[in-house]
Amino acid sequence: MTEQKLIFTQLVNDALHSEIERLNPGRVFYIADSNTARFVLPQLVDDNANVITILAGDVNKTLESTAKVWKALTDARASRNDLIVNVGGGVVTDLGGFAAATYKRGLRFINIPTTLLAAVDAAVGGKTGVNFSGFKNQVGVFCNADSVIISTVYFSTLTADQVLSGYAEMIKHAMLTGRREFADVLKYNVSQREPGDNDLLLRLLQESVEVKRRIVAADPTEQGLRRALNLGHTVGHAFESLAMKRMAPIPHGFAVAYGLVVEAILSHMLMGFPAETMHQLRAYVSEHYSKFRFTCDDYPELLALMSQDKKNPDPQHISFTLLTDLGDPVTGTIVAEKDIRDALDIYREL
Amino acid sequence: MTEQKLIFTQLVNDALHSEIERLNPGRVFYIADSNTARFVLPQLVDDNANVITILAGDVNKTLESTAKVWKALTDARASRNDLIVNVGGGVVTDLGGFAAATYKRGLRFINIPTTLLAAVDAAVGGKTGVNFSGFKNQVGVFCNADSVIISTVYFSTLTADQVLSGYAEMIKHAMLTGRREFADVLKYNVSQREPGDNDLLLRLLQESVEVKRRIVAADPTEQGLRRALNLGHTVGHAFESLAMKRMAPIPHGFAVAYGLVVEAILSHMLMGFPAETMHQLRAYVSEHYSKFRFTCDDYPELLALMSQDKKNPDPQHISFTLLTDLGDPVTGTIVAEKDIRDALDIYREL
């Protein structure tokens, strides 16, 4: 898989045009969702551009939507030499990337993520795909974009929850990196963003993406180190699923933020992760994300969800990525149920 | 793209089991069509095997059939560590390869082609895909099988036309290689196969696949030398389309065989290709494939079809792969309409 070119800039238009010039395609097709087609595309292209619009929302990240994209490309006689530009959140970059990677066995494509989460996710790893038969990202391919243009200029239209959701992944990356990065991320007041701090957020985002890029490059096939990226997700997924069953769903990033706190507690209990750092994290998360509410009656269900998590290699044991310190992850740590219960107790009491 | 392991053998069962052992998958899923599920699979697996059956025939090489395969894999909870074994002709290897390459972003797979054409095609190049919206192989990916097990034992159940169709590609490969290979291929009486000549055909097939492998390896992205594989196809596709319009379709391989003769005539006229070799080819093709019938009234239509062929880079000119001699292809040779008409005249008169 060729590496994708990452461009961090607030001048998206300039970057896009120079990338199109570099790639020198026959024609350019833009894939957007119903929102970005209306609010973002007019800033990038004129009325004559070839635009393929899909419906917004994860429920539309389907094979049927992909077939509509393939059909539109076919009807327009798109050729192997043409270029796709995906403009949108994760639904557009995942689905548009999959459509591009499979139309005539692969067109080149550029991603322009318009949400913080898509910027962190789509920037590295080459994961494309759609949901299928009730499973997320069940059908797809690994395929890098030719370039990814990352900017924070579009984030001003995101809801606070959307920004927080993406930011949880940045907290995770910082925890996997080191003391300075962690301090930088916790210094930023993500709930009260100022109009002037776009450039600061772009710099933090660039550092965060660099962390992910290093980890993925060291382990492209997800066998070892890359599992470190699962930090916060073993507990986070269980919280997310429990909230779903209660018919009170929480955003994925919120579940990850809560999961990071519980797993920091576990790391402290079992791996000597510093108590002070654990408390700094907990304070930041409760200030910006509040807290996940549950009782000890929920423990059996939470433990069952953790053991069944698709990234848990053996359902007989629950495996975690834990930290001995900031920047020192230990993947595949099997933790006894009793310790998990203790950590959940501490989380509830803190 | 990792190279696929090619195994030429008449002991398919042994080869399959040792490959499964080598790849050490969680579970194995077999994809077959309604014919191979009935006639071939019972020789390879017992009744407890996980078999996914698609309908036979190119009309079923669709996204809908692929979705059924993805659904069956999903319902069986197939995991990233499982293995797909495709058993069938080109429909099964193309579609099954695409399904495998995209389910959970890629399972490993083995191809066991059961037709001569699929053996020549599926053995090298990693092309997977399905037809879409009226276009052949419009959606797919380049993805190599982990291994391809090639045998001639299944060919005894093929119709004469099916064998001839695959053999045309082998004639083409021999022309791209040299004098000895060409003589070997023309020595074999493809219309009157004897029960004992399975091993001879397997040897010829192995040589033929080796030619294709060398060419593809030298040019994996189809920019230059690989266009040599288009020999016979510029005229062949035009014949095939004309026959379709007349409502009297001919098998693809027959069209290629006729196309090889016309392009050998052109090669003689323009590139000094030896007259004797041209006549040897013409004699073999007319003995086994008969001849394509058309008049000079069909020339404008044939020329239009050649210029619109999807592999013709510029519709203003008609471009061919021609030969200065056996084994010496010259790709991208632009030929004047007058010369093409002359070659068609000669073909009709020969």
Side-chain angles (χ1 to χ4, degrees):
Chain A
M1 204 160 56
T2 48
E3 198 164 330
Q4 47 195 12
K5 184 172 170 190
L6 300 183
I7 300 165
F8 293 84
T9 181
Q10 308 294 25
L11 304 171
V12 180
N13 240 309
D14 293 356
L16 176 60
H17 288 117
S18 77
E19 282 307 285
I20 290 175
E21 201 163 294
R22 178 176 75 88
L23 296 169
N24 190 24
R27 284 184 295 167
V28 182
F29 293 87
Y30 293 84
I31 301 180
D33 69 22
S34 23
N35 296 324
T36 52
R38 195 165 152 209
F39 297 111
V40 178
L41 271 188
Q43 304 168 40
L44 293 173
V45 299
D46 64 25
D47 292 346
N48 302 318
N50 302 301
V51 177
I52 300 170
T53 307
I54 60 175
L55 292 173
D58 195 67
V59 297
N60 296 305
K61 200 171 115 177
T62 59
L63 202 56
E64 291 69 31
S65 302
T66 315
K68 281 183 195 160
V69 174
W70 286 326
K71 183 72 167 63
L73 292 169
T74 302
D75 290 346
R77 297 285 183 274
S79 86
R80 289 268 283 278
N81 190 34
D82 293 343
L83 176 74
I84 306 276
V85 179
N86 298 310
V87 181
V91 172
V92 172
T93 54
D94 285 7
L95 186 154
F98 179 55
T102 51
Y103 177 81
K104 294 197 174 178
R105 301 200 185 94
L107 303 192
R108 294 170 296 171
F109 65 101
I110 292 175
N111 281 336
I112 305 182
T114 58
T115 67
L116 182 56
L117 187 58
V120 178
D121 263 4
V124 181
K127 289 189 175 176
T128 75
V130 295
N131 305 328
F132 179 79
S133 190
F135 289 84
K136 289 181 70 78
N137 305 316
Q138 182 79 345
V139 168
V141 291
F142 286 100
C143 184
N144 271 337
D146 286 81
S147 42
V148 184
I149 302 171
I150 297 174
S151 170
T152 55
V153 291
Y154 305 118
F155 299 171
S156 48
T157 60
L158 300 179
T159 64
D161 278 10
Q162 282 179 306
V163 175
L164 283 160
S165 242
Y167 204 72
E169 296 291 334
M170 291 172 58
I171 299 173
K172 179 189 80 177
H173 290 162
M175 291 173 72
L176 292 170
T177 315
R179 199 147 293 278
R180 195 213 16 105
E181 292 78 2
F182 184 71
D184 282 352
V185 164
L186 260 52
K187 219 182 297 163
Y188 184 70
N189 187 341
V190 64
S191 318
Q192 297 200 339
R193 299 184 51 226
E194 304 291 334
D197 66 6
N198 262 348
D199 290 349
L200 172 60
L201 183 58
L202 187 64
R203 187 177 64 71
L204 291 172
L205 182 52
Q206 182 161 6
E207 282 195 352
S208 193
V209 164
E210 190 48 43
V211 173
K212 188 173 174 191
R213 174 146 82 166
R214 273 204 310 272
I215 291 175
V216 169
D219 177 24
T221 54
E222 232 166 351
Q223 302 302 306
L225 180 60
R226 193 159 171 178
R227 288 194 223 151
L229 294 172
N230 209 37
L231 184 69
H233 284 67
T234 308
V235 172
H237 280 153
F239 284 174
E240 195 176 0
S241 299
L242 184 67
M244 192 96 74
K245 290 194 178 180
R246 289 174 175 170
M247 309 294 272
I250 54 175
H252 173 71
F254 281 60
V256 170
Y258 307 142
L260 287 171
V261 176
V262 177
E263 297 186 15
I265 295 168
L266 270 177
S267 297
H268 172 63
M269 287 167 49
L270 305 173
M271 316 289 279
F273 184 77
E276 191 198 338
T277 314
M278 176 189 88
H279 284 295
Q280 286 169 341
L281 174 70
R282 183 200 52 74
Y284 190 87
V285 170
S286 50
E287 180 185 345
H288 296 281
Y289 296 82
S290 171
K291 201 170 165 177
F292 189 61
R293 304 277 165 197
F294 58 100
T295 70
C296 47
D297 293 343
D298 296 315
Y299 288 9
E301 170 115 47
L302 287 170
L303 290 166
L305 286 164
M306 289 177 212
S307 71
Q308 289 154 24
D309 190 279
K310 70 175 171 182
K311 299 231 170 145
N312 190 46
D314 170 12
Q316 302 303 309
H317 301 98
I318 302 174
S319 166
F320 287 83
T321 294
L322 296 181
L323 297 171
T324 58
D325 199 348
L326 290 170
D328 285 326
V330 181
T331 62
T333 314
I334 289 169
V335 178
E337 289 205 359
K338 189 190 163 305
D339 291 330
I340 302 174
R341 287 171 180 268
D342 286 350
L344 291 171
D345 283 343
I346 297 172
Y347 176 79
R348 286 168 50 229
E349 286 156 16
L350 278 173
Chain B
M1 205 159 58
T2 49
E3 198 163 331
Q4 47 196 11
K5 183 172 171 190
L6 301 182
I7 300 165
F8 294 84
T9 182
Q10 307 296 24
L11 305 170
V12 179
N13 240 308
D14 293 355
L16 177 60
H17 289 116
S18 77
E19 281 306 286
I20 289 175
E21 202 162 293
R22 177 176 75 87
L23 296 169
N24 190 24
R27 285 185 295 168
V28 182
F29 293 86
Y30 293 84
I31 301 181
D33 69 22
S34 23
N35 296 324
T36 52
R38 193 164 153 209
F39 297 110
V40 179
L41 272 189
Q43 304 168 40
L44 293 174
V45 298
D46 64 26
D47 292 346
N48 301 319
N50 302 302
V51 177
I52 300 170
T53 307
I54 60 174
L55 291 173
D58 195 66
V59 297
N60 296 305
K61 197 170 118 179
T62 58
L63 201 57
E64 291 71 30
S65 302
T66 315
K68 282 183 193 158
V69 174
W70 286 324
K71 184 75 168 62
L73 292 169
T74 302
D75 291 346
R77 298 286 184 270
S79 86
R80 288 270 283 276
N81 190 35
D82 294 343
L83 176 75
I84 305 276
V85 180
N86 298 310
V87 181
V91 172
V92 172
T93 52
D94 285 7
L95 186 154
F98 179 55
T102 50
Y103 177 79
K104 292 196 175 180
R105 300 201 187 94
L107 302 192
R108 294 170 297 171
F109 65 101
I110 292 175
N111 281 336
I112 305 182
T114 58
T115 68
L116 182 56
L117 188 57
V120 179
D121 262 5
V124 183
K127 290 187 175 178
T128 75
V130 295
N131 306 328
F132 180 80
S133 189
F135 289 84
K136 289 180 71 76
N137 304 317
Q138 183 79 345
V139 169
V141 292
F142 286 100
C143 184
N144 271 338
D146 285 81
S147 42
V148 185
I149 302 172
I150 297 173
S151 171
T152 55
V153 291
Y154 305 119
F155 299 172
S156 48
T157 60
L158 299 180
T159 64
D161 277 10
Q162 283 179 305
V163 175
L164 282 161
S165 241
Y167 204 71
E169 295 290 335
M170 291 172 58
I171 300 173
K172 179 190 80 177
H173 289 161
M175 291 173 73
L176 292 171
T177 316
R179 199 146 294 279
R180 195 211 18 103
E181 292 79 2
F182 184 71
D184 282 352
V185 165
L186 260 52
K187 220 183 296 164
Y188 183 71
N189 187 342
V190 65
S191 319
Q192 297 200 337
R193 300 183 51 223
E194 304 291 335
D197 66 6
N198 262 349
D199 290 348
L200 172 59
L201 184 57
L202 186 64
R203 189 177 64 71
L204 291 172
L205 182 52
Q206 181 161 6
E207 282 196 352
S208 194
V209 164
E210 191 46 45
V211 174
K212 189 174 173 190
R213 175 146 79 166
R214 273 204 310 274
I215 291 174
V216 170
D219 177 24
T221 54
E222 231 167 349
Q223 302 301 307
L225 181 59
R226 192 157 171 181
R227 286 194 224 152
L229 294 171
N230 209 37
L231 184 70
H233 284 66
T234 309
V235 172
H237 280 152
F239 284 174
E240 194 177 1
S241 298
L242 185 66
M244 190 98 75
K245 290 195 179 180
R246 287 173 177 171
M247 309 294 273
I250 54 175
H252 173 70
F254 281 60
V256 170
Y258 307 143
L260 287 171
V261 176
V262 177
E263 297 185 16
I265 295 169
L266 270 178
S267 296
H268 173 63
M269 286 166 50
L270 304 174
M271 316 288 279
F273 185 76
E276 193 197 335
T277 314
M278 177 188 87
H279 285 293
Q280 287 169 341
L281 173 71
R282 183 199 52 75
Y284 189 88
V285 170
S286 50
E287 182 185 344
H288 296 281
Y289 296 81
S290 169
K291 200 169 165 177
F292 189 62
R293 304 278 164 197
F294 58 98
T295 69
C296 47
D297 292 343
D298 296 315
Y299 288 8
E301 171 116 47
L302 287 169
L303 290 166
L305 287 164
M306 290 176 212
S307 70
Q308 289 153 25
D309 190 280
K310 69 175 169 180
K311 298 228 171 150
N312 190 46
D314 168 13
Q316 303 301 311
H317 301 100
I318 302 174
S319 165
F320 287 83
T321 294
L322 296 180
L323 297 170
T324 58
D325 200 347
L326 291 168
D328 284 326
V330 182
T331 63
T333 315
I334 290 169
V335 178
E337 289 205 359
K338 188 189 166 306
D339 291 328
I340 303 174
R341 287 170 179 269
D342 286 350
L344 292 171
D345 283 343
I346 296 171
Y347 176 79
R348 285 168 51 227
E349 286 155 17
L350 278 174

